[in-house]
Amino acid sequence: MTNQHPSLALRFRGFLPVVVDVETGGFDARNDALLEIAAVLLDMDARGHLRPSTRVHFHVDPFPGANIEQAALDFTGIDPNNPLRGAVGELTALKGVFEPVRKAVKAHGCNRAVLVGHNSFFDQGFLNAASERADIKRNPFHPFSSFDTATLAGLVYGQTVLAKACEAAGIPFNQRDAHSALYDATRTAELFCSMVNRFRDLGGWPPPPAGEMPPTLARALD
C-alpha cells in the first residue's frame, strides 16, 4: 500500500472500485454488440473521501456476427455505421480500459479491481463476454463481484433509476446526454462517491472496534 493513498485499499478489502458503463446492441452479452465502453477511476483524498479521477472512453466496432437490435439503437441514438464515431475493435478498447486500471490497482496497493455500475450485472456481463472473445488472460476486474449503485441508491436515497438517484443526491443529470457510456459512467461515479462519502460522514466508516460492537444475535442467545 502506498503512503499517498493509505486507506483506499483498506476501505474495500483490497479491491479498487472502478466505475464502468457500456452501451450495447441488446441485452444478450454473448451475442449482442458492445458499442461503447467507459470507465472512471476513483481516488481518495486526505479526509478519506472518494472522488472521480481519470476517465477513459471508447466507441467500439461490433464484433463479427454480432446482433444489433434496432430498439437498442433507437434507445441510445448510436449509429454503428457512422465513420465519425472513431470506433475501434474490442481488443483495442479493452486494452485501453484495462491498462490504466491495472496501473491504478498497483498504485493504490490493491489486489484487484471491482466493477461499479448502475445495474452492474449488465455491464459486468458484457465486459466479461468481450474479454473472452478477445482472449484476454489478465482481466483486472473480479469476475463476478461488483458494487451495484442501483441497489445502493435504493438504500440511501430511495431511488433506483440513475437520473432520479442523482437528483436525490444533488448531482446534475441531463437526459439529453444520457445513454452515452462516458456520461452515464461519470454520473454513476459521482453517485457512488456521494453514497460512500455520506456513509463516512454519518459515522459509518471506519467501523468501531470489535469490542465496542453490539453483541450478535448468536452471542445474545448464548
Side-chain angles (χ1 to χ4, degrees):
M1 193 180 341
T2 66
N3 292 328
Q4 185 178 2
H5 300 282
S7 58
L8 186 55
L10 291 176
R11 180 63 183 85
F12 300 104
R13 204 177 62 83
F15 290 111
L16 178 71
V18 178
V19 181
V20 174
D21 188 83
V22 300
E23 302 298 334
T24 68
F27 295 106
D28 185 340
R30 295 201 171 274
N31 296 308
D32 294 339
L34 173 65
L35 299 175
E36 273 190 69
I37 184 168
V40 180
L41 303 180
L42 304 178
D43 265 327
M44 180 174 281
D45 66 20
R47 298 180 300 161
H49 285 168
L50 287 184
R51 62 190 178 196
S53 59
T54 305
R55 304 188 302 170
V56 292
H57 172 231
F58 293 93
H59 294 278
V60 185
D61 281 324
F63 64 89
N67 178 62
I68 302 177
E69 299 290 341
Q70 185 59 47
L73 301 183
D74 294 342
F75 182 72
T76 62
I78 295 173
D79 178 2
N81 300 313
N82 186 344
L84 299 179
R85 292 179 69 222
V88 299
E90 284 187 336
L91 179 59
T92 299
L94 292 175
K95 284 184 175 180
V97 171
F98 288 172
E99 182 177 357
V101 171
R102 289 192 189 102
K103 289 181 178 178
V105 167
K106 183 177 181 180
H108 289 292
C110 294
N111 301 317
R112 200 161 195 180
V114 61
L115 185 146
V116 180
H118 204 76
N119 298 310
S120 57
F121 73 93
F122 181 83
D123 305 284
Q124 189 171 51
F126 273 88
L127 184 70
N128 287 344
S131 297
E132 290 180 16
R133 284 192 296 269
D135 197 27
I136 292 179
K137 304 300 184 185
R138 293 180 56 244
N139 183 338
F141 288 90
H142 194 284
F144 54 84
S145 292
S146 66
F147 291 127
D148 177 30
T149 54
T151 302
L152 294 172
L155 171 67
V156 176
Y157 297 117
Q159 300 288 346
T160 57
V161 175
L162 181 58
K164 294 290 187 182
C166 286
E167 180 182 358
I171 298 168
F173 194 94
N174 190 331
Q175 289 286 0
R176 289 176 297 180
D177 295 326
H179 311 307
S180 152
L182 183 59
Y183 185 84
D184 286 359
T186 300
R187 292 295 172 263
T188 300
E190 293 170 348
L191 178 63
F192 180 72
C193 290
S194 78
M195 292 186 288
V196 173
N197 295 341
R198 178 184 173 93
F199 185 69
R200 180 182 180 85
D201 292 344
L202 291 174
W205 184 267
E212 298 177 14
M213 290 184 176
T216 62
L217 179 60
R219 189 180 302 168
L221 293 176
D222 284 342

